[in-house]
Amino acid sequence: QVELQESGPGLVRPSETLSLTCAVSNYSISSGYYWGWIRQPPGKGLEWIGSFYHSGSTYYNPSLKSRVTISVDTSKNQFSLRLSSVTAADTAVYYCARAPLYCSGDSCYPGPVHYWGQGTLVTVSS
Amino acid sequence: QSALTQPRSVSGSPGQSVTISCTGTSSDVGGYDYVSWYQQHPGKAPKLMIYDVSKRPSGVPDRFSGSKSGNTASLTISGLQAEDEADYYCCSYAGRYTFVVFGGGTKLNVL
């Protein structure tokens, strides 16, 4: 059973950079699938942030792309999220996720999420 | 405002059936057979219940079914049980520039 576990600070100051890590167990992130981040503001809906595929394909939410960096450490079987210049609107539960590769025409993207981390609340406040 | 429109809440009694709608446009729900549905209990991560409009992951009861007509997708839960009380979110592919969009969520109350 694939397991994902988020970790990182629960409080970030406005204008600073949010950093989270997702440790993956029981599956090598180099073996396939999209791996990425989804967030959920308190009391609100879900939003894909960004993801990467082992072959190098990436997906970023166009509305967040300029502030998002996703990096991978295959030696530790984990990946990380950095979201810069945060504001209160970035306060949310952040989930790491695994999704299959879906392609439509010449574009590929993360399909339905079968595996989720438990989520970690990040609050942006001074 | 979410890209896909869902009712804020629906209700049903144990044993009954309920249907949750998810309305989009021809650029997302209506244009592709890539609609998925997630169940989320309070404080928990979402759980995939339906994908590719009507497919069920292993372990999801066949009381849960999905369908689509035009720009509206639907999740039907038959034989309602108390544990079905949760929030439900739809999700759709929305083309090569927007990619993936979610609905705002529907609170299912089991009376």
Side-chain angles (χ1 to χ4, degrees), chain B residues 50-90:
Chain B
I50 296 287
Y51 67 100
D52 295 356
V53 176
S54 59
K55 298 178 181 177
R56 274 189 311 276
S58 174
V60 172
D62 60 7
R63 302 185 295 105
F64 292 83
S65 62
S67 62
K68 190 185 80 167
S69 177
N71 297 335
T72 298
S74 299
L75 173 70
T76 297
I77 308 169
S78 59
L80 269 179
Q81 300 181 4
E83 59 262 36
D84 298 333
E85 184 163 290
D87 293 324
Y88 291 84
Y89 293 91
C90 63

Side-chain angles (χ1 to χ4, degrees), chain A residues 44-105:
Chain A
K44 296 186 179 180
L46 300 161
E47 179 182 42
W48 261 107
I49 299 171
S51 62
F52 67 94
Y53 191 68
H54 74 100
S55 65
S57 172
T58 58
Y59 159 74
Y60 289 103
N61 186 321
S63 67
L64 298 170
K65 186 175 182 178
S66 63
R67 299 194 291 130
V68 173
T69 302
I70 294 178
S71 58
V72 185
D73 186 340
T74 55
S75 67
K76 295 182 179 180
N77 209 41
Q78 64 185 32
F79 58 97
S80 299
L81 168 71
R82 288 174 58 86
L83 180 66
S84 64
S85 304
V86 298
T87 69
D90 295 309
T91 293
V93 175
Y94 286 75
Y95 296 98
C96 55
R98 188 186 93 167
L101 174 73
Y102 271 39
C103 294
S104 178

Side-chain angles (χ1 to χ4, degrees), chain B residues 94-105:
Chain B
R96 62 180 299 161
Y97 298 109
T98 306
F99 287 98
V100 180
V101 290
F102 283 96

